[in-house]
Amino acid sequence: MPDSLAADFVPNPMRLLVVEDEKKLAGILKKGLEENGFVVELCFDGEEGLFMAETYSYDAILLDIMLPKMDGLAILKKIRTKQISVPVLMITARGEVDDRIKGLNTGADDYIAKPFDFSELLARLKAVIRRSKSKPSSTIGINDLEIDMNSMTVMRGDREIKLSSTEYKLLEYLALNCGKVISRTELTEHIYDSEFDLDSNVIDVYINYLRNKIDKGRGKRLIRTVRGAGYVLEKE
Ligand code: CA
């Protein structure tokens, strides 16, 4: 298979998540997409799909609507609430017009109806990825703190703040949930693979590092401890 061999030499292959419970269709999609140079991960139910979408970074997600445990629209809503901007191509059954409209309103980038030609799916998939790559950089601004989520750089005022990747992940998560108290458990789950049963006190240590870098010597502290509940990053 020359296509597959060629794919091995792509320096940064596009990573896709395919959430589809019809195993035969999922298998065909995986094979076809891999032959076109993509790296593909499959999930067969909604809960696993949501977990993967929230945990790993993909260039696009192919998301079926009717899924066991959690449907595609609910997954989409959750990931968009968390500001995960990955392009999503919804897979709908023929005639599910309402679902298509709901999907687009919820933040899907496009949809394709079953049964579809693989070539059409590939064209639409490439189009949503292309559109997402041409979007301007996404930044979060909280007072004089600015986080660039593409370059993963952080500025406070005119000073760049160097963070470790764990500190960055923590800060970005708190910033995306600005004003909301986040528990140590939720922060731990966001930072580490859930397979590690880590003591959530580790979070306190990292929060201290972060405070030293972000807040030390500043008039207004951004990260506040909420006793017995967790941490919150607050706007003035
Ligand atoms: Ca299905």
Side-chain angles (χ1 to χ4, degrees):
M1 283 184 288
D3 282 353
S4 305
L5 282 177
D8 289 341
F9 296 99
V10 175
N12 288 306
M14 298 269 186
R15 281 165 52 88
L16 299 179
L17 177 65
V18 175
V19 191
E20 168 61 74
D21 60 314
E22 286 171 47
K23 294 202 171 159
K24 195 177 163 203
L25 175 59
I28 291 168
L29 288 174
K30 182 173 163 73
K31 185 168 179 286
L33 291 165
E34 284 178 349
E35 282 173 2
N36 281 276
F38 292 95
V39 171
V40 180
E41 285 181 66
L42 292 183
C43 287
F44 304 116
D45 73 64
E47 280 177 4
E48 194 193 356
L50 175 65
F51 172 79
M52 297 295 279
E54 287 184 341
T55 310
Y56 301 103
S57 162
Y58 295 99
D59 292 287
I61 299 177
L62 270 174
L63 186 58
D64 186 24
I65 290 189
M66 294 294 284
L67 290 164
K69 296 187 185 173
M70 179 184 282
D71 72 53
L73 289 169
I75 295 173
L76 181 62
K77 201 170 170 189
K78 288 208 177 235
I79 63 176
R80 290 302 187 234
T81 304
K82 291 201 166 178
Q83 311 275 333
I84 298 170
S85 61
V86 58
V88 173
L89 181 60
M90 302 290 293
I91 304 171
T92 67
R94 186 180 286 281
E96 289 175 339
V97 178
D98 280 358
D99 281 345
R100 288 178 208 175
I101 293 166
K102 270 188 226 154
L104 292 172
N105 284 341
T106 310
D109 296 83
D110 201 358
Y111 63 85
I112 188 162
K114 288 178 194 173
F116 48 78
D117 287 334
F118 183 77
S119 56
E120 190 193 348
L121 174 104
L122 192 61
R124 283 177 183 267
L125 184 63
K126 285 181 174 170
V128 296
I129 293 173
R130 209 167 38 239
R131 285 203 298 272
S132 78
K133 301 281 180 212
S134 64
K135 276 182 195 162
S137 72
S138 53
T139 57
I140 317 170
I142 294 163
N143 298 350
D144 59 348
L145 181 76
E146 196 177 283
I147 302 169
D148 185 324
M149 293 190 287
N150 286 350
S151 61
M152 291 170 57
T153 51
V154 177
M155 305 280 292
R156 181 135 194 210
D158 51 11
R159 190 166 60 96
E160 186 179 348
I161 297 166
K162 296 272 180 217
L163 298 179
S164 72
S165 70
T166 304
E167 291 161 359
Y168 175 82
K169 274 198 216 169
L170 263 181
L171 180 67
E172 187 191 87
Y173 195 71
L174 286 169
L176 288 171
N177 291 285
C178 182
K180 203 175 131 195
V181 181
I182 309 294
S183 71
R184 288 174 176 80
T185 311
E186 187 175 342
L187 287 171
T188 312
E189 282 168 2
H190 178 71
I191 302 297
Y192 298 102
D193 210 305
S194 63
E195 285 158 38
F196 292 95
D197 192 17
L198 271 169
D199 188 338
S200 60
N201 289 333
V202 171
I203 291 298
D204 299 340
V205 175
Y206 280 109
I207 290 282
N208 271 331
Y209 292 156
L210 246 188
R211 278 186 165 143
N212 278 332
K213 292 182 179 180
I214 301 287
D215 280 341
K216 203 175 183 183
R218 301 274 170 172
K220 165 74 186 169
R221 291 184 156 236
L222 293 172
I223 301 171
R224 188 164 68 82
T225 308
V226 181
R227 200 176 288 261
Y231 295 101
V232 59
L233 186 68
E234 287 177 320
K235 262 189 186 170
E236 242 168 321

